[in-house]
């Protein structure tokens, strides 16, 4: 038996006994679904360098951990205070499990929020229907594992016509320090003509080393508008592997802000399907890596019908000996005439040991479309550094200032004040000369 | 204040300045004129501390210090200011905040306290008025989206706030219409003082109609070919640079910068 098979075997042996302990496992179809998914995980095996989607990200650091299923530890409100967002409703999950005591939300007619774990018990048929609609293709071992361990997550339903004024913050806190695996599955249903802002935050204290497997499935109904922030700030020993699947219907608007700052290895696999005419999607992404972090974004923007627009901007800053991977595909179906699709990926390498692999791709089968894509990789501009120096700014300060200035525009596009300030403070805080930068931007 | 002695400078092995001698005293205004490729911009960038030049021989002494040993920011703290020929756009960095940081760095270097927010605001408003720079430019990113004329005005505005001892204006007049040129020139004239010296690098005599220099130098082929008073500029205007009769086969200034 080779090493990879041994590792898969070890994972299966470690995790199989926990399946019966999962909520709702007395429901036959659910127990069977989990068990099949575990077999699927084992059959697919850990991705290797030959697995195209994982070409630039080695997973042996994850594979060698042999984790157990995460257990929720006791957390009090003071421990998570710094991660809360002002003026938001908040649903808190600790190590993947809904924590009612830390959450604050007033039920109302506009928005309904359920915990997946509780729903197995209360409305199993509804969950069965939900799971049967799953539009993912499960060729990914980690996603299969997440389905095998299907446990908890948020099911958010925004009523038709509801304008939800108060943003919703889904806060996922990791506390585990024993290499455990944390499965999370969320659904967001934005009803017809509705409007809502949702923030997903993944975070953990510096010592946590969990493997988060997150899947969020979103449906944006006709003429609905959903603004979705995804703020990943897990610890630098943690692993974060995420799937985000979005279906946009007619006249819908979906604005995504995928922001990746944390984790030793972070991967976000995004698939957005523009499935109804005149749907409009904007994505403003940001990834920052330092030390030995690896951050990977795989984006598929699928224009399936005519008259849709998508506009994506991703910026990355890589420092030390860190690496980032960006793979952005715009796929335009033969029926999707009058598509307008743009994708721009701009990268700044601030260390000569840092690395980026970027690949924007266009696949177009329609003949009347406007599409553009491009990627840039650069260093700090010497002219700009000299200009700042000539105005009295020391060289190292100028470099740090320009690094922040490079991503400042993406940060400024974050509409939600509390989040924008939080992210800006966090990013400035990561840079040397943070006090100086704070004064100049 | 500034003493350049037999300065030889090359870029990537190619000689650009071939023995420059220049003495600038406090209160003086020197105009350096010359054709494209003569080394004018190299000289101004070099004085401000731009990287990429090799000093083959000679010396530059500024306020009794070896200027060439100082980093660009240290030169700024010591009172050297370069108004750029092509001011750089820096999106995401606030124009006014940069200026405050620069001013405070200079003050700190001289053992002074930081300027208070109220005093600074008063100062920038007063100086913005001096160069007829709309106050809306103060809150924008450095030079971002500024027109050519606005950028040049912003340079003079910065100079007015930072109050340098030695101001080097690198073709600040190039590309300006007559109104903008007048504003820029008036800004400079108001800053003229006994303690301050100016080096005006220019291609055209036109600027000198508005700023009267004490000395005019003609730079060509990396050397100062002639020096004189303001009448030399008029002579150049009449006769052009052809009389210099020197082949300017060196790299273009854009390439050199």
């Amino acid at each position: 038996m080779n090493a990879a098979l041994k590792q898969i075997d070890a994972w299966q042996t470690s995790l199989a006994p926990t399946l019966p302990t999962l909520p709702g496992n007395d429901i036959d179809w659910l127990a069977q679904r989990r068990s099949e998914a575990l077999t699927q995980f084992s059959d697919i095996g850990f991705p290797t360098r030959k697995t195209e989607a994982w070409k630039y990200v080695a997973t042996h650091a994850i594979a060698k951990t042999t984790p157990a299923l995460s257990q929720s530890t006791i957390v009090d409100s003071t421990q998570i205070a710094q991660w809360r967002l002002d003026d938001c409703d908040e649903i808190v999950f600790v190590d993947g499990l809904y924590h009612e005591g830390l959450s604050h939300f007033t039920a109302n007619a506009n928005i309904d929020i359920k915990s997946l774990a509780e729903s197995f018990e209360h409305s199993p048929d509804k969950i069965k229907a939900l799971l049967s609609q799953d539009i993912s293709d499960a060729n990914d071992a980690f996603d299969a594992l997440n389905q095998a361990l299907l446990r908890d997550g948020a099911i958010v339903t925004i009523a038709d016509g509801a304008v939800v004024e108060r943003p919703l913050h889904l806060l996922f806190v990791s506390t585990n320090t024993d290499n455990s695996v944390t499965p999370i599955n969320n659904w967001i249903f934005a009803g017809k003509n509705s409007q809502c802002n949702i923030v997903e935050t993944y975070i953990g204290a510096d010592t946590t080393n969990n493997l988060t497997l997150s899947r969020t499935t979103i449906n944006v109904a006709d003429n609905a508008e959903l603004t979705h922030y995804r703020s990943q700030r897990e610890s630098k020993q943690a692993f974060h592997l995420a799937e985000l699947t979005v279906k946009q219907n007619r006249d819908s608007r979906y604005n995504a802000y995928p922001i990746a700052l944390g984790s030793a290895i972070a991967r976000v696999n995004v698939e957005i399907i523009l499935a109804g005419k005149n749907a409009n999607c904007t994505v403003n992404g940001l990834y920052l890596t330092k030390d030995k972090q690896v951050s990977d974004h795989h984006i598929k923007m699928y224009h399936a019908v005519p008259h849709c627009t998508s506009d994506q901007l991703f910026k990355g800053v890589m420092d030390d000996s860190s690496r980032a991977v960006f793979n952005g595909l715009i796929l335009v179906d033969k029926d999707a005439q009058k598509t307008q699709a743009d994708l721009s990926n701009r990268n700044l390498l601030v260390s000569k040991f840092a690395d980026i692999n970027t690949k924007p791709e266009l696949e177009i089968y329609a003949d009347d479309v406007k599409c553009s894509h491009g990627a840039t990789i650069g260093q700090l501009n010497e002219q700009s550094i000299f200009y700042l120096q000539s105005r009295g700014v020391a060289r190292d300060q100028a470099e740090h200032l320009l690094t922040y200035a490079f991503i400042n525009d993406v940060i400024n596009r974050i509409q939600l004040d509390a989040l924008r300030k939080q992210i800006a403070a966090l990013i400035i805080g990561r840079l040397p000369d943070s006090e100086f930068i704070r004064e100049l931007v | 204040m500034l003493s350049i002695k037999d300065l030889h400078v090359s870029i990537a092995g190619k000689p650009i300045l071939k023995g420059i001698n220049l003495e600038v005293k406090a209160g003086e205004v020197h105009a350096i004129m010359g054709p494209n490729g003569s080394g004018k911009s190299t000289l101004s960038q070099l004085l401000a501390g731009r990287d990429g030049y090799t000093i083959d021989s000679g010396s530059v002494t500024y306020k009794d210090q070896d200027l060439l040993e100082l980093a660009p920011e240290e030169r700024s703290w010591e009172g050297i200011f370069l108004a750029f020929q092509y001011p750089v756009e820096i999106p995401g960095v606030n124009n006014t905040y940069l200026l405050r940081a620069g001013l405070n760095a200079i003050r700190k270097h001289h053992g002074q306290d930081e300027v208070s927010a109220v005093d600074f605001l008063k100062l920038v408003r007063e100086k913005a008025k001096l160069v007829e720079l709309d106050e809306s430019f103060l809150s924008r990113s450095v030079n971002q989206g500024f027109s050519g004329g606005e950028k040049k005005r912003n340079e003079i505005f910065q100079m007015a706030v930072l109050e340098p001892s030695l101001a080097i204006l690198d073709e600040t007049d190039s590309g300006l219409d007559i109104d903008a040129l007048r504003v820029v020139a008036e800004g400079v004239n108001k800053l003229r003082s006994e303690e301050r010296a100016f080096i005006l690098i220019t291609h055209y005599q036109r600027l000198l109609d508005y700023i009267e220099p004490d000395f005019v130098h003609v730079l060509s082929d990396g050397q100062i070919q002639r020096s004189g008073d303001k009448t030399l500029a008029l002579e150049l205007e009449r006769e052009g640079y052809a009389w210099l009769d020197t082949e300017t086969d060196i790299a273009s200034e854009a390439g050199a910068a």
Side-chain angles (χ1 to χ4, degrees):
Chain A
M1 197 186 275
N2 71 27
L5 286 176
K6 259 187 203 160
Q7 281 169 336
I8 276 282
D9 208 43
W11 278 55
Q12 203 177 7
T13 310
S14 166
L15 292 166
T18 60
L19 260 54
T21 70
L22 291 167
N25 218 57
D26 52 337
I27 305 166
D28 286 345
W29 65 263
L30 184 57
Q32 196 189 339
R33 187 182 189 273
R34 284 173 175 149
S35 158
E36 282 171 11
L38 191 64
T39 307
Q40 197 186 5
F41 161 70
S42 164
D43 288 348
I44 300 169
F46 291 114
T48 66
R49 296 273 177 176
K50 287 179 197 150
T51 315
E52 181 59 29
W54 289 86
K55 197 172 171 182
Y56 299 107
V57 180
T59 54
H60 51 77
I62 303 174
K64 71 180 186 195
T65 53
T66 321
L69 182 65
S70 70
Q71 301 302 321
S72 196
T73 56
I74 296 162
V75 171
D76 67 50
S77 204
T78 55
Q79 282 169 276
I80 66 158
Q82 54 172 324
W83 301 321
R84 288 192 183 278
L85 283 175
D86 290 342
D87 306 317
C88 290
D89 282 325
E90 265 171 337
I91 303 293
V92 180
F93 289 77
V94 178
D95 299 307
L97 289 159
Y98 172 56
H99 196 303
E100 192 178 358
L102 295 174
S103 303
H104 57 94
F105 168 70
T106 320
N108 62 73
N110 278 342
I111 182 165
D112 177 71
I113 305 166
K114 293 266 189 306
S115 135
L116 174 65
E118 288 172 11
S119 302
F120 289 133
E121 206 176 309
H122 298 137
S123 39
D125 293 343
K126 214 172 149 186
I127 301 303
K128 191 178 182 181
L130 206 64
L131 293 171
S132 69
Q133 286 168 14
D134 208 331
I135 43 177
S136 66
D137 74 310
N139 287 319
D140 190 278
F142 293 110
D143 195 29
L145 182 61
N146 192 11
Q147 298 313 304
L149 301 175
L150 185 72
R151 184 171 65 175
D152 206 355
I155 305 171
V156 180
T157 310
I158 300 141
D160 288 353
V163 177
V164 182
E165 299 282 356
R166 226 171 140 75
L168 173 65
H169 187 201
L170 303 174
L171 177 57
F172 299 91
V173 179
S174 297
T175 69
N176 277 297
T177 52
D178 55 357
N179 289 113
S180 56
V181 55
T182 307
I184 294 166
N185 284 271
N186 303 309
W187 283 265
I188 299 168
F189 299 100
K192 284 181 187 167
N193 304 313
S194 69
Q195 233 174 294
C196 191
N197 294 289
I198 295 182
V199 185
E200 257 182 275
T201 299
Y202 295 86
I203 203 154
D206 292 344
T207 50
T208 55
N209 58 8
N210 52 289
L211 162 62
T212 297
L213 300 175
S214 149
R215 160 173 277 287
T216 299
T217 307
I218 296 177
N219 187 70
V220 192
D222 291 358
N223 202 36
E225 177 161 353
L226 177 67
T227 300
H228 176 211
Y229 302 93
R230 192 178 197 290
S231 165
Q232 187 275 108
R233 291 136 57 192
E234 299 216 54
S235 106
K236 263 185 250 158
Q237 285 86 52
F239 305 114
H240 182 95
L241 309 177
E243 302 281 332
L244 169 62
T245 311
V246 182
K247 184 181 174 195
Q248 284 193 248
N249 297 282
R250 196 177 176 120
D251 302 314
S252 65
R253 281 93 61 207
Y254 174 67
N255 312 309
Y257 294 82
I259 298 164
L261 306 178
S263 302
I265 298 175
R267 181 180 153 94
V268 189
N269 194 18
V270 181
E271 184 169 341
I272 298 171
I273 304 169
L274 296 152
K277 282 183 188 173
N278 197 35
N280 178 315
C281 179
T282 64
V283 184
N284 286 288
L286 195 59
Y287 47 91
L288 271 73
T289 57
K290 57 194 281 190
D291 302 323
K292 289 184 171 177
Q293 282 183 290
V294 177
S295 188
D296 176 352
H297 284 81
H298 268 64
I299 318 289
K300 180 176 169 186
M301 182 68 69
Y302 176 27
H303 284 258
V305 298
H307 294 286
C308 293
T309 63
S310 65
D311 189 1
Q312 305 179 70
L313 170 66
F314 279 84
K315 281 194 176 181
V317 178
M318 282 60 67
D319 200 354
D320 304 321
S321 42
S322 67
R323 278 159 39 71
V325 177
F326 181 83
N327 190 306
L329 169 68
I330 298 172
L331 173 62
V332 182
D333 215 319
K334 66 177 179 356
D335 295 330
Q337 302 294 1
K338 305 288 178 190
T339 286
Q340 190 170 333
D342 300 298
L343 166 63
S344 166
N345 175 225
R346 299 188 57 201
N347 297 285
L348 180 65
L349 295 173
V350 289
S351 148
K352 59 182 170 183
F353 303 109
D355 200 9
I356 168 79
N357 295 94
T358 174
K359 188 167 134 192
E361 290 179 274
L362 285 176
E363 219 178 295
I364 302 174
Y365 298 100
D367 53 18
D368 184 14
V369 300
K370 258 195 200 162
C371 296
S372 74
H373 71 317
T376 60
I377 302 167
Q379 280 91 37
L380 291 171
N381 182 324
E382 278 297 328
Q383 289 262 33
S384 304
I385 294 172
F386 176 57
Y387 189 82
L388 291 173
Q389 282 181 292
S390 76
R391 298 302 178 254
V393 178
R395 183 173 174 106
D396 49 351
Q397 287 186 328
E399 288 176 2
H400 303 140
L401 175 64
L402 289 170
T403 301
Y404 185 75
F406 175 73
I407 49 174
N408 197 14
D409 62 333
V410 178
I411 294 169
N412 282 333
R413 291 184 192 195
I414 298 174
Q415 309 280 314
L416 212 61
D417 285 352
L419 182 68
R420 188 181 56 251
K421 284 178 191 158
Q422 196 181 59
I423 297 287
L426 203 75
I427 292 176
I428 292 173
R430 275 167 71 122
L431 291 166
D433 297 312
S434 34
E435 241 177 69
F436 173 76
I437 297 168
R438 213 166 283 131
E439 282 177 14
L440 266 83
V441 295
Chain B
M1 180 182 287
L2 180 77
S3 172
I4 304 176
K5 290 209 166 78
D6 195 28
L7 186 65
H8 290 256
V9 173
S10 59
I11 300 172
K14 191 161 192 168
I16 305 292
L17 301 181
K18 304 169 184 175
I20 299 276
N21 290 290
L22 184 67
E23 295 289 328
V24 178
K25 294 193 179 67
E28 293 177 351
V29 175
H30 291 247
I32 297 179
M33 305 183 69
N36 287 330
S38 57
K40 303 191 300 287
S41 277
T42 298
L43 180 62
S44 61
Q45 299 247 332
L46 178 95
L47 291 176
R50 181 78 209 250
D51 258 356
Y53 302 107
T54 309
I55 314 294
D56 297 316
S57 62
S59 68
V60 182
T61 311
Y62 168 74
K63 290 185 178 173
D64 302 323
Q65 301 176 76
D66 180 356
L67 184 70
L68 302 175
E69 284 300 310
L70 300 180
E73 60 267 32
E74 292 172 314
R75 300 183 196 199
S76 159
W77 302 338
E78 288 291 347
I80 288 185
F81 180 91
L82 171 66
F84 281 58
Q85 183 180 4
Y86 304 109
V88 183
E89 293 194 16
I90 309 182
V93 175
N94 178 287
N95 203 22
T96 309
Y97 299 165
L98 169 64
L99 209 44
R100 188 180 60 194
L103 182 63
N104 280 333
I106 292 166
R107 292 176 67 92
K108 192 178 161 198
H109 182 71
H110 294 286
Q112 295 167 309
D113 287 339
E114 292 199 347
V115 62
S116 79
V118 176
D119 288 346
F120 182 72
L121 193 66
K122 224 174 101 183
L123 179 71
V124 293
R125 286 209 168 127
E126 177 196 318
K127 302 298 186 184
K129 217 169 273 167
L130 184 77
V131 291
E132 298 177 21
L133 188 72
D134 192 277
E135 277 191 29
S136 67
F137 286 89
L138 300 178
S139 57
R140 285 166 61 174
S141 287
V142 178
N143 291 321
Q144 196 188 13
F146 290 24
S147 71
E150 286 156 357
K151 282 180 184 167
K152 297 293 176 83
R153 258 190 250 189
N154 195 36
E155 295 292 287
I156 302 303
F157 163 65
Q158 293 180 350
M159 178 175 82
V161 173
L162 297 179
E163 300 192 317
S165 313
L166 173 62
I168 304 152
L169 278 60
D170 188 4
E171 302 211 16
T172 301
D173 54 325
S174 298
L176 290 188
D177 63 37
I178 205 76
D179 290 332
L181 180 68
R182 181 188 49 77
V183 169
V184 164
E186 275 175 19
V188 171
N189 284 331
K190 281 179 191 154
L191 291 168
R192 284 180 82 156
S193 81
E194 287 300 307
E195 294 85 41
R196 187 168 296 136
F198 287 87
I199 297 176
L200 311 175
I201 308 271
T202 180
H203 189 74
Y204 307 104
Q205 191 272 335
R206 190 181 64 155
L207 177 68
L208 308 181
D209 289 341
Y210 297 89
I211 307 172
E212 196 173 301
D214 300 302
F215 301 94
V216 175
H217 311 276
V218 181
L219 184 65
S220 177
D221 195 21
Q223 286 184 322
I224 290 178
Q225 308 285 353
R226 273 181 71 182
S227 293
D229 61 14
K230 61 182 176 177
T231 57
L232 178 57
L234 295 169
E235 190 180 325
L236 281 174
E237 179 74 1
R238 267 197 320 273
E239 299 175 20
Y241 292 113
W243 61 271
L244 289 166
D245 196 29
T246 42
E247 286 300 315
T248 52
D249 61 345
I250 49 176
S252 75
E253 301 215 358

